[in-house]
């Protein structure tokens, strides 16, 4: 195949035997396995990868990894597309499709480019100041279209994600020299070690720095260490894994990617790592230099240029000018020159760079010390750079000693910023180190160490010894006792830096601070002029340091510039807060498996498959998959529900009540305890009897209701609402453990151990007597509100005469495993009686016409027991109970409290809407006096019925009111809520 | 995410637990002897200190026992956990 024009003929850690075809902005290119999208595009001579955020200026590649501010791309299409990735971090894959963002139709020809001309009109705070009238929302769609980044996927993500929990002794983040040395020491010492690095290969900067460790090429050493770690049973090595967040108590979150291969079982994995000790060897990021036109494609970090040339065998230019304020910048010259990239000059902003410059001169490089860049020529690519002695640039409009250097690549090195993000997230304190011109880790949280360049140790020699010592110390702190051996070593280096935050101003040209957000030095000046002093405010006002790169190459420069402008020392300005994630994480990773049906799995009753067989329509009721109604051939939903209601009122019905909460309460003090939990008396409940009860919160508000069954002197069965079982049971435990540990009571939640079938209807007893049982079903022996334990079809059963329909009814509890057989037998034996299963919909209507309230529907967060007619029961009780004192407040006794009533529409065919308001003055339509809580067409009464909460409603029966909803009014009357069988003759039958 | 050492089960992740508020909170009674303000104090008023606080948590997805946790509300450091039957640990804010 033809070698790409900018690919070196040999070298690099790419697999030339595995060419990969890919597309960018619709054009086809070829790269190699081992490339990133950025290196492959550079090899193909693509220089413009994106347009700037506000002004749509052409932008090229600045960095080579996560620091990249410009080359933001969207990969893939449809449901699996991922927006806002950095091309520098995207591993090249066969058939990869990538597009630039924030430009249309492509980065090279963008129709929004005219916005450049409006540059002077779009200063910091532009959006805040301009789009105020009539409101921001009026402008938002248009602004978002022009300023947006990527686009969202078109559908639900079909890929699989997962999460894992890991516990280890030592977690090492970063597998550069310091991290490798740390992991090596910790593993050798015997600690359970996890090493995580976000790149596909280990070694970090050793991949391109061409250095020597232990007197052999550094990459040989990297290979040996990797081999040793992978072979060790106590070490785990994770590549392509970004540690993105440090949380409380040594929890570190990692995102592991599985690349863009087509056959991947999972796409990404979230790791929750709980580590006793954490070593942060997260490295350092080179800073951009701020000078006019420093955003023209072809201006690149010196470290990135080296990275492309050495690791990827890509020539990022033919003729380079190196602009540096550091010793380490010179290294790039030594890497680029032998690869056929001419070094036009090394421009050092320092007046006296010392030994490093002398050595470079001896090696034949032209060094311009004390010069600064004042302008870059070229729009779509660098053509030349103008430099000038620093002293001259300080004079306004001076062109003295201006020097033009022809080049197509400007390598910049503004010093190194330690990646202290995770350390800071873990509440580590940062300290400004003037000598290194960087914030370095200060006093740290217990169990955290920074090592290597993350700790400001920029030379390889210190990285290795520092990392090794940190790994050994971490292992020792976890009790590991084996001998870690001795640290690897490297030759000493010079790493001096003199901060150069920004070139002095030169005419009107823009000097870019944050390339991703189009923030210039002038924007920071404006913010300072407008007296924004807090760095957090400046960040939000100018947007410097925001979005996907979070200002990794720019934040320190912004601080330095701000320091100069406000005459405040950098330590006093401080940094903005570092928050997770360190690098963007997909929502898919965070959600892991908790999506779709696994987001909140529904519980199923023991009769689930029976319901399915009978054509049930299922719905989620309080976390349970329950039958809402049962379909019948050729009948509509309404017709089916009506038939179910007729069966319950006219024949016999079966209802699956298995989700009802069931809590067994046993012990000598069980009666005393329940008497405190219910607002009505339970102490006086005789054995074998059942009582309806209400439980309150300490605020006196109704929490739950249900029946309480006394099975023996010291044995109760408490039934709760289906959604309330866990809550009420937890409450029992809390009261018993925390408030009344003296009570000898054991409460057990047996909700799922028992199935529950409610048989209701005038023929309920007839049906039950068709089954074999040792329980006497005669109404005199087994009256309403009593419970019998016995056998039913030779299976142990608890049978209670209670129900929620107002008909003669039996609730049968049998072991969950017997429930299905019992259900089928009841249906089979009951067929001649007209038995029919009924769902929640029918039950809701039946209980509404009976005037039975549903907690949470007919009560709200303020309803007290006196509001629903429990006043008499309370008055009879002398003992304390939960919530009692709250019922004595003046508020609890107000006559105009919302109280439960029936609401009868004057037109018997009108179903009053739930939520409709009871209004005092139908003309004014103001002053709600309450609202409708339940409403339906009553099959039994042949008219509509409704329940509601109305001010002082219990003393207003008979009063006429108006019901208001969405502009409509209905005349109605307040009535007793007991619509159906008010004397209770049917349920006592 | 906190790691809480359950006195019955050992160190476990925070999602296994549920928070139950500051302790001690003494429930006043009998109801007829409690003033409105004393009842309001019991229901609503807490120290909510900046620094060390004693709380009760329940190991809901574990042994279901309530326990005492001494936690720093600034650093989230947990200094001690204890069973309800043990003496309440002392704290100096
Ligand atoms: Zn526990």
């Amino acid at each position: 195949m033809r070698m790409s024009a900018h690919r070196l003929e040999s070298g690099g850690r790419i697999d030339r035997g595995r060419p990969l075809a890919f597309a960018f902005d619709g054009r086809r290119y070829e790269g190699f396995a081992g490339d990133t999208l950025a290196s492959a595009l550079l090899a193909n001579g693509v220089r413009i990868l994106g347009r700037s955020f506000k002004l749509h200026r052409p932008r090229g590649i600045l960095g080579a990894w996560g620091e990249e501010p410009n080359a933001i791309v969207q990969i893939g299409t449809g449901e699996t597309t991922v927006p806002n990735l950095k091309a520098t971090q995207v591993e090249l894959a066969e058939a990869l499709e990538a597009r630039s963002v924030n430009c249309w139709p492509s980065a090279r020809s963008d129709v929004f480019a005219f916005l450049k001309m409006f540059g002077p009109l779009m200063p910091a705070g532009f959006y805040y100041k301009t789009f105020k009238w009539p409101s921001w929302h009026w402008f938002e769609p248009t602004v978002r279209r022009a300023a947006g980044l990527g686009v969202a996927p078109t559908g639900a993500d079909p890929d699989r994600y997962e999460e894992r929990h890991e516990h280890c002794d030592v977690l090492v983040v970063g597998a550069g020299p310091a991290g490798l040395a740390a992991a090596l020491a910790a593993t050798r010492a015997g600690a359970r070690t996890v090493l995580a690095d976000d790149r596909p290969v280990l070694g970090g900067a050793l991949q391109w720095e061409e250095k020597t460790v232990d007197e052999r090429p550094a990459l040989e050493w990297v290979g040996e260490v990797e081999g040793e770690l992978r072979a060790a049973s106590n070490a785990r090595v994770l590549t392509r894994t970004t540690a993105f967040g440090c949380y409380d108590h040594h929890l570190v979150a990692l995102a592991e990617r599985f690349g863009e291969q087509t056959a991947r079982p999972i796409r990404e994995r979230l790791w929750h790592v709980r580590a006793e000790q954490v070593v942060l060897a997260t490295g350092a990021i080179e800073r951009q230099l701020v000078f006019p036109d420093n955003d023209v494609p072809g201006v690149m970090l010196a470290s990135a240029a080296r990275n492309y040339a050495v690791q990827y065998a890509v020539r990022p230019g033919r003729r380079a000018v190196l602009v540096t304020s550091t010793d380490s910048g010179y290294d790039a010259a030594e890497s680029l020159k032998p690869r056929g990239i001419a070094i036009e000059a090394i421009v050092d902003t320092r007046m006296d760079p010392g030994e490093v410059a002398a050595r470079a001169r001896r090696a034949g490089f032209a060094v311009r010390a004390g010069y600064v860049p004042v302008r870059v020529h070229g729009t779509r690519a660098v053509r030349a750079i103008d430099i000038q002695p620093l002293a001259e640039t300080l004079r306004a409009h001076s062109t003295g000693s201006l020097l033009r250097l022809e080049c197509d690549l400007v390598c910049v090195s503004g010093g190194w910023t330690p990646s202290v993000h995770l350390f800071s997230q873990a509440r580590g304190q940062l300290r400004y180190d003037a000598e290194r011109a960087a914030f370095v880790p200060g006093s740290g949280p217990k169990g955290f160490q920074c090592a290597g360049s993350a700790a400001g140790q920029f030379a390889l020699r210190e990285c290795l010894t520092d990392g090794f010592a940190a790994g050994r110390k971490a292992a020792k702190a976890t009790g590991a006792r084996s001998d870690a051996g001795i640290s690897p070593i490297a030759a000493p280096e010079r790493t001096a830096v003199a901060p150069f935050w920004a070139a002095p101003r030169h005419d009107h040209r823009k000097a870019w601070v944050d390339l991703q957000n189009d923030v210039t030095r002038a924007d920071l000046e404006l913010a300072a002029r407008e007296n924004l002093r807090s760095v957090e405010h400046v960040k939000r006002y100018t947007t410097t340091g925001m979005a996907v790169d979070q200002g990794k190459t720019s934040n320190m420069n912004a601080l330095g510039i701000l320091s100069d402008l406000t005459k405040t020392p950098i330590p006093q300005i401080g940094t903005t807060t570092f928050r997770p994630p360190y690098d963007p994480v997909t929502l898919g990773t965070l959600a892991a498996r908790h999506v779709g049906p696994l987001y909140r799995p529904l519980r199923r009753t023991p009769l689930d498959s029976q319901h399915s067989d009978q054509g049930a329509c299922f719905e989620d009721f309080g976390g349970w998959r329950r039958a809402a109604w049962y379909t019948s051939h050729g009948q509509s939903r309404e017709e089916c529900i009506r038939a179910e209601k007729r069966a319950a009122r006219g024949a016999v019905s079966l209802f699956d009540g298995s989700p009802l909460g069931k809590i067994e309460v046993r012990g000598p003090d069980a009666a005393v305890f329940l008497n405190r939990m219910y607002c009505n008396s339970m102490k006086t409940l005789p054995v074998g009897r059942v009582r309806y009860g209400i439980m309150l919160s300490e605020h006196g508000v109704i929490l739950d209701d249900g029946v309480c069954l006394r099975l023996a002197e010291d044995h109760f069965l408490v039934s709760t609402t289906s959604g309330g079982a866990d809550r009420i049971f937890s409450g029992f435990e809390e009261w018993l453990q925390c408030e009344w540990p003296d009570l000898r009571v054991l409460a057990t939640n047996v909700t799922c151990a028992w199935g529950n079938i409610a048989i209701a209807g005038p023929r309920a007893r007839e049906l039950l007597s068709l089954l074999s049982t040792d329980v006497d079903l005669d109404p005199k022996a087994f009256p309403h509100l009593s419970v019998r334990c016995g056998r039913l079809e030779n299976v142990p059963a608890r049978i209670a005469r209670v129900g929620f329909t107002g008909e003669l009814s039996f609730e049968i509890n049998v072991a969950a495993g017997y429930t299905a057989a019992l259900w089928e037998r009841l249906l089979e034996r009951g067929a001649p009686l007209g038995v029919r299963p009924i769902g929640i919909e029918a039950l809701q209507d039946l209980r509404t016409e009976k005037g039975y309230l549903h907690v949470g529907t007919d009560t709200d967060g303020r309803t007290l027991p006196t509001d629903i007619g429990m006043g008499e029961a309370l008055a009879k009780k002398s003992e304390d109970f939960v919530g009692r004192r709250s019922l004595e407040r003046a508020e609890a006794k107000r006559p105009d409290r919302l109280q439960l009533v029936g609401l009868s529409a004057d037109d018997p065919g009108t179903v009053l809407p739930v939520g409709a308001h009871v209004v005092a003055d139908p003309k004014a339509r103001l002053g709600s006096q309450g609202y409708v809580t339940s409403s339906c067409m009553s099959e039994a009464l042949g008219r509509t019925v409704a329940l509601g909460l109305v001010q002082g409603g219990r003393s207003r029966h008979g009063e006429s009111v108006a019901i208001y909803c969405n502009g409509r009014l209905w005349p109605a009357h307040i009535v007793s809520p007991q619509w159906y069988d008010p004397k209770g003759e049917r349920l006592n039958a | 995410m906190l790691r809480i050492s359950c006195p019955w089960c050992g160190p476990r992740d925070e999602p296994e637990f549920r928070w139950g508020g500051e302790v001690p909170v003494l429930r006043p009674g009998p109801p007829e002897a409690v003033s409105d303000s004393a009842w309001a104090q019991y229901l609503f008023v807490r120290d909510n200190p900046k620094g060390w606080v004693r709380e009760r948590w329940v190991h809901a997805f574990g042994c279901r026992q309530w326990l005492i946790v001494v936690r720093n509300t600034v650093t989230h450091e947990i200094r001690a956990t204890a069973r309800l039957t043990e003496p309440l640990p002392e704290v100096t804010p």
Side-chain angles (χ1 to χ4, degrees):
Chain A
M1 66 172 281
R2 192 181 64 87
M3 191 69 72
S4 310
H6 304 265
R7 184 77 76 178
L8 295 165
E9 290 67 28
S10 63
R13 273 162 286 287
I14 46 169
D15 185 350
R16 291 169 198 260
R18 282 179 58 207
L20 301 170
F22 69 101
F24 177 69
D25 274 349
R27 290 183 176 230
R28 307 264 143 216
Y29 300 100
E30 209 161 75
F32 293 114
D35 261 326
T36 62
L37 177 60
S39 69
L41 286 170
L42 280 174
N44 283 281
V46 178
R47 286 291 178 273
I48 301 173
L49 269 76
R51 293 279 169 164
S52 75
F53 191 62
K54 278 194 265 182
L55 300 177
H56 290 247
R57 286 168 67 107
R59 290 283 166 79
I61 293 169
L62 181 80
W65 192 246
E67 72 279 8
E68 173 61 36
N70 290 332
I72 311 298
V73 297
Q74 174 126 13
I75 62 158
T77 52
E79 298 159 342
T80 56
T81 186
V82 185
N84 303 341
L85 292 172
K86 285 156 269 188
T88 47
Q89 285 175 301
V90 175
E91 279 181 68
L92 201 65
E94 180 61 28
L96 181 82
E97 295 240 12
R99 285 180 312 288
S100 46
V101 299
N102 197 32
C103 47
W104 187 85
S106 70
R108 66 161 64 202
S109 57
D110 171 31
V111 298
F112 285 109
F114 70 88
L115 281 169
K116 272 190 301 200
M117 294 185 292
F118 297 104
L121 301 178
M122 292 173 76
F126 170 70
Y127 293 120
Y128 303 131
K129 288 167 178 167
T130 311
F131 299 118
K132 286 195 300 193
W133 185 91
S135 93
W136 160 247
H137 304 288
W138 200 80
F139 296 98
E140 188 175 355
T142 314
V143 172
R144 292 244 182 264
R145 199 172 310 129
L149 290 176
V151 297
T154 53
D157 191 339
D159 281 321
R160 187 163 150 168
Y161 300 76
E162 67 171 37
E163 63 183 329
R164 281 186 65 165
H165 291 258
E166 174 80 317
H167 295 260
C168 65
D169 295 326
V170 180
L171 168 67
V172 180
V173 179
L180 284 172
L184 192 63
T187 305
R188 283 182 180 168
R192 288 175 307 145
T193 305
V194 173
L195 172 66
D197 190 278
D198 57 354
R199 297 176 191 259
V201 289
L202 303 185
L206 294 179
Q207 286 288 344
W208 65 87
E209 283 188 345
E210 303 179 282
K211 288 182 180 169
T212 302
V213 176
D214 285 346
E215 292 171 343
R216 58 195 191 283
L219 281 182
E220 248 176 56
W221 176 78
V222 171
E224 280 167 32
V225 175
E226 179 168 7
E228 182 172 341
L229 293 176
R230 290 203 188 269
S233 60
N234 60 328
R236 183 195 287 283
V237 178
L238 297 169
T239 52
R240 299 185 173 91
T241 304
T242 310
F244 64 84
C246 272
Y247 303 89
D248 286 316
H249 297 188
H250 293 200
L251 180 77
V252 183
L254 319 178
E256 184 180 14
R257 301 175 304 280
F258 291 85
E260 288 305 311
Q261 298 90 336
T262 40
R264 56 185 173 210
I266 54 172
R267 188 164 184 174
E268 293 177 4
R269 178 187 284 150
L270 177 66
W271 290 80
H272 308 256
V273 180
R274 195 71 89 155
E276 291 295 315
Q277 294 282 319
V278 181
V279 177
L280 297 171
T282 41
I285 289 170
E286 198 164 28
R287 290 194 286 265
Q288 157 80 304
L289 283 171
V290 179
F291 57 89
D293 304 318
N294 59 342
D295 70 329
V296 176
V299 177
M300 185 180 275
L301 296 178
S303 57
R306 268 178 104 185
N307 193 342
Y308 289 117
V310 180
Q311 186 178 355
Y312 303 107
V314 169
R315 210 180 275 120
R318 299 257 171 202
R319 201 170 176 192
V321 169
L322 189 74
V323 186
T324 181
S325 61
T326 68
D327 288 357
S328 62
Y330 286 69
D331 295 343
E334 285 167 35
S335 287
L336 299 180
K337 193 179 167 190
R339 289 178 170 81
I341 301 159
I343 306 297
E344 189 67 17
I346 298 174
V347 179
D348 197 319
T349 60
R350 299 170 294 183
M351 292 307 293
D352 183 15
E355 169 59 24
V356 70
R359 209 179 61 202
R361 285 192 180 105
R362 284 198 297 276
F365 292 109
V367 178
R368 296 277 180 182
Y371 274 78
V372 299
V374 292
R375 140 157 220 201
V376 174
H377 295 272
T379 315
R380 298 170 63 86
V382 172
R383 284 190 285 111
I385 182 168
D386 288 349
I387 60 169
Q388 200 175 29
L390 180 63
E392 286 292 336
T393 65
L394 296 172
R395 278 190 249 146
H397 308 294
S398 159
T399 51
S401 316
L402 201 67
L403 212 59
R404 176 169 301 191
L405 304 169
E406 304 285 329
C407 60
D408 61 358
L409 176 67
V410 175
C411 298
V412 292
S413 176
W416 295 87
T417 304
S419 293
V420 294
H421 307 68
L422 296 173
F423 179 78
S424 183
Q425 286 174 23
R427 297 161 201 266
Q429 298 297 310
L430 301 179
R431 176 176 62 80
Y432 186 69
D433 183 324
E435 195 188 320
R436 293 176 167 89
F439 279 96
V440 295
S443 64
K446 237 171 27 191
F448 277 81
Q449 297 178 75
C450 287
S453 351
Q457 304 290 347
F458 300 132
L460 176 58
R461 187 187 175 86
E462 281 73 36
C463 282
L464 292 169
T465 50
D466 201 32
F468 198 82
R472 178 152 52 192
K473 186 177 159 198
K476 203 171 166 198
T478 66
R481 289 286 171 267
S482 301
D483 182 14
I486 55 160
S487 169
I489 55 159
E493 298 161 77
R494 291 175 174 276
T495 59
V497 57
F500 178 80
W501 302 124
R505 290 206 64 176
H506 187 81
D507 61 42
H508 63 280
R509 304 202 155 267
K510 286 180 184 298
W512 302 88
V513 179
D514 183 329
L515 293 168
Q516 185 157 110
N517 297 292
D518 269 358
V519 180
T520 64
R521 183 197 152 110
D523 292 324
L524 293 173
E525 285 170 357
L526 178 69
R529 260 202 321 277
E530 294 186 352
N531 206 29
L532 290 153
R533 284 294 179 266
S534 154
V535 63
E536 298 282 5
H537 290 163
V538 171
K539 169 178 174 169
R540 280 152 188 83
Y541 192 59
T542 62
T543 71
T544 194
M546 291 190 173
V548 290
D549 72 330
Q550 290 285 298
K552 291 188 175 67
T553 55
S554 63
N555 281 346
M556 209 45 229
N557 288 331
L559 283 181
I561 292 167
L562 214 56
S563 164
D564 288 347
L565 290 170
T566 58
K567 310 272 180 281
T568 312
I570 287 177
Q572 267 151 265
I573 292 184
T575 63
T576 51
T577 309
F578 292 95
R579 294 192 180 87
Y582 166 74
D583 210 27
V585 181
T586 64
L587 293 175
T589 303
L590 297 177
R593 300 292 303 278
H594 308 281
V595 292
L598 296 180
Y599 175 64
R600 178 173 172 265
L602 285 179
R603 302 167 84 178
R604 298 183 176 206
T605 83
L607 298 175
D608 193 76
S609 62
Q610 278 68 29
H611 298 323
S612 290
D613 292 347
Q614 280 141 21
C617 284
F618 289 102
E619 275 177 39
D620 171 0
F621 290 98
W624 288 86
R625 191 171 107 111
R626 303 189 71 174
W629 54 284
Y630 298 84
T631 55
S632 202
H633 282 298
Q635 288 189 302
S636 70
R637 174 182 181 276
E638 271 61 42
E639 284 166 343
C640 290
I641 294 169
R642 286 177 68 186
E644 289 174 23
K645 291 194 275 190
R646 280 197 300 272
R649 293 281 182 238
V652 59
S653 65
L654 297 185
F655 176 75
D656 178 8
S658 301
L660 272 182
K662 305 169 202 76
I663 303 167
E664 294 220 18
V665 180
R666 306 185 78 151
D669 296 321
V672 173
F673 172 65
L674 289 178
N675 208 47
R676 293 178 189 174
M677 297 313 298
Y678 283 102
C679 72
N680 47 326
S681 181
M682 285 301 164
K683 234 168 59 174
T684 54
L685 180 65
V687 174
R689 296 307 303 258
V690 175
R691 187 171 288 165
Y692 173 74
I694 286 186
M695 289 186 239
L696 312 179
S697 71
E698 277 285 58
H699 305 100
V701 170
I702 295 174
L703 210 55
D704 206 71
D705 71 342
V707 290
C708 180
L709 295 68
R710 192 163 198 173
L711 304 177
E713 201 55 42
D714 61 351
H715 187 184
F716 291 80
L717 180 62
V718 168
S719 79
T720 73
T721 56
S722 304
D726 293 339
R727 192 160 34 90
I728 297 300
F729 173 62
S730 297
F732 281 10
E733 288 182 315
E734 183 170 5
W735 284 107
L736 284 170
Q737 290 180 38
C738 301
E739 193 64 35
W740 303 310
D742 54 310
L743 293 184
R744 291 159 301 165
V745 176
L746 178 71
T748 315
N749 187 349
V750 296
T751 299
C752 296
W754 296 81
N756 175 299
I757 299 172
I759 308 173
R763 305 184 82 172
R765 186 179 290 110
E766 204 180 333
L767 170 56
L768 200 51
S769 60
L770 294 176
L771 274 62
S772 72
T773 180
D774 55 1
V775 173
D776 184 353
L777 300 175
D778 184 84
K780 288 194 192 72
F782 191 3
H784 180 53
L785 290 178
S786 52
V787 56
R788 298 291 177 265
C789 297
R791 299 184 83 81
L792 184 63
E793 293 289 279
N794 214 23
V795 163
R798 290 166 174 174
I799 307 176
R801 275 201 58 186
V802 290
F804 205 36
T805 62
E807 294 297 332
L808 167 66
S809 50
F810 298 87
E811 277 192 9
I812 302 170
N813 284 347
V814 291
Y818 288 129
T819 319
L822 178 61
W823 176 267
E824 281 170 0
R825 186 143 313 169
L826 285 165
L827 281 176
E828 173 199 315
R829 298 285 166 84
L833 306 181
V835 73
R836 191 169 181 132
I838 66 169
I840 296 271
E841 293 290 345
L843 188 80
Q844 288 291 2
D845 291 359
L846 293 169
R847 68 95 192 159
T848 300
E849 68 192 11
K850 178 65 187 169
Y852 285 158
L853 68 90
H854 185 237
V855 171
T857 301
D858 303 297
T859 67
D860 64 19
R862 297 165 298 176
T863 309
L864 308 179
T866 39
D867 300 331
I868 60 157
M870 290 287 285
E872 261 179 63
L874 291 179
K876 278 192 234 154
K877 187 167 174 176
S878 57
E879 302 91 351
D880 191 11
F881 53 85
V882 174
R884 172 155 213 163
R885 179 61 185 80
S886 290
L887 302 177
E888 301 302 323
R889 294 167 305 137
E891 176 66 27
K893 297 180 170 172
R894 283 170 58 144
D896 62 346
R897 294 189 56 81
L898 292 177
Q899 296 174 332
L900 185 71
V901 294
L903 289 168
S904 171
D906 291 357
D907 167 21
T910 297
V911 179
L912 296 172
V914 170
H917 284 273
V918 178
V919 292
D921 179 356
K923 287 195 189 75
R925 291 180 187 175
L926 287 172
S928 170
Q929 294 193 341
Y931 57 95
V932 178
T933 57
S934 295
S935 181
C936 67
M937 170 60 77
S938 167
E939 186 68 16
L941 302 173
R943 62 149 299 142
T944 63
V945 298
L947 302 177
L949 288 168
V950 178
Q951 281 177 4
R954 290 178 54 75
S955 56
R956 291 172 63 183
H957 291 186
E959 206 176 291
S960 84
V961 290
I963 309 291
Y964 171 84
C965 181
N966 287 340
R968 293 188 64 188
L969 277 168
W970 295 272
H973 279 79
I974 297 175
V975 296
S976 154
Q978 279 85 36
W979 291 87
Y980 178 77
D981 185 28
K983 295 206 182 94
E985 286 156 352
R986 298 180 70 91
L987 57 81
N988 282 306
Chain B
M1 181 166 48
L2 306 182
R3 186 157 61 161
I4 299 169
S5 196
C6 171
W8 304 90
C9 309
R12 294 291 189 274
D13 276 354
E14 184 181 341
E16 293 187 15
F17 296 83
R18 191 160 51 76
W19 183 77
E22 273 175 38
V23 287
V25 174
L26 297 177
R27 185 172 191 263
E32 56 277 12
V34 181
S35 68
D36 277 358
S37 68
W39 188 247
Q41 189 83 15
Y42 158 67
L43 285 182
F44 303 115
V45 181
R46 298 293 181 269
D47 288 345
N48 194 21
K50 181 180 179 182
W52 291 104
V53 63
R54 293 172 295 186
E55 302 166 329
R56 73 181 184 218
W57 290 69
V58 62
H59 194 189
F61 292 91
C63 61
R64 294 195 70 87
Q65 293 297 304
W66 283 85
L67 53 135
I68 302 297
V69 174
V70 182
R71 183 176 68 95
N72 191 303
T73 57
V74 178
T75 63
H76 289 184
E77 190 189 335
I78 290 177
R79 200 163 65 190
T81 57
R83 302 176 185 193
L84 292 177
T85 49
E86 296 174 74
L88 197 59
E90 289 299 319
V91 289
T92 39

